[in-house]
Amino acid sequence: MVQAFHRHVPILIRELGSSYKELLHIISDPPKGSENLLTLVLQILTQEVAPSSDLIATVKHLYETKLKDVSILIPLLSSLTKDEVLPIFPLLLNLPPEKFQLVLAHILQGMFLGIFRGTTFLGNFRGPRSSEIPDANSEEDFVGTSKDLTIGNFLGIYRGSPP
């Protein structure tokens, strides 16, 4: 029975998708004691695709109002912004090591995906782009040796416009 459940439920959950209204309704008010099943459903819904904005809003509302277990947010971390993650980060740090490894994996996934989307987590942490650094192409602003400058010129590394 358990094997059948684990084999068929993920398929059903994926087919329904993270925007299916009835599923969102169940997620918004899960039966007491169903936290592990809810976590499994969220993992399935976020495993291969980005969660819908409806799913993110539903789970955030659930966390803020009914289920104060921060681990419920782990599957969504890759889709949250820095401003959404920072307030809960101390709680995430206090999770058991195996759950914290998942936290790091989801945050890193969000940073990696941010490279391609140009948004979410990575966009909030990125440093200045080379075009945002004041033009310091002169040797007077260069910190290093003349050998470093020569290597940088050879490799085509410039902080401003090419010389």
Side-chain angles (χ1 to χ4, degrees):
M1 180 70 158
V2 173
Q3 287 177 342
F5 180 82
H6 282 284
R7 194 172 29 246
H8 295 289
V9 167
I11 296 167
L12 175 64
I13 298 296
R14 277 190 209 100
E15 287 298 316
L16 293 174
S18 65
S19 294
Y20 186 66
K21 296 294 181 199
E22 279 72 19
L23 184 57
L24 290 173
H25 178 71
I26 294 169
I27 291 171
S28 71
D29 191 21
K32 200 168 206 145
S34 65
E35 291 82 7
N36 289 338
L37 180 59
L38 179 58
T39 301
L40 176 64
V41 168
L42 292 174
Q43 287 171 350
I44 292 166
L45 288 172
T46 59
Q47 197 169 37
E48 295 175 4
V49 295
S52 68
S53 57
D54 290 337
L55 179 63
I56 293 171
T58 299
V59 175
K60 283 171 47 179
H61 186 297
L62 173 65
Y63 173 73
E64 292 165 358
T65 60
K66 297 177 185 175
L67 187 61
K68 286 294 193 179
D69 181 3
V70 73
S71 62
I72 201 72
L73 298 173
I74 293 173
L76 303 176
L77 287 174
S78 63
S79 298
L80 300 179
T81 65
K82 176 181 89 172
D83 292 336
E84 292 169 317
V85 173
L86 285 180
I88 61 169
F89 199 73
L91 299 170
L92 295 168
L93 283 172
N94 289 327
L95 290 171
E98 63 277 357
K99 282 193 176 185
F100 188 68
Q101 284 181 332
L102 287 172
V103 167
L104 292 178
H106 283 280
I107 289 174
L108 290 173
Q109 178 186 16
M111 293 175 73
F112 179 73
L113 292 174
I115 293 170
F116 297 105
R117 290 192 293 239
T119 58
T120 65
F121 215 75
L122 179 66
N124 293 316
F125 279 111
R126 74 164 180 80
R129 294 184 175 122
S130 61
S131 62
E132 297 169 338
I133 298 172
D135 189 1
N137 216 13
S138 65
E139 288 188 32
E140 66 190 46
D141 292 327
F142 180 73
V143 178
T145 65
S146 60
K147 184 178 178 183
D148 294 331
L149 181 60
T150 305
I151 292 169
N153 284 337
F154 175 75
L155 295 174
I157 301 171
Y158 307 107
R159 293 195 329 170
S161 56

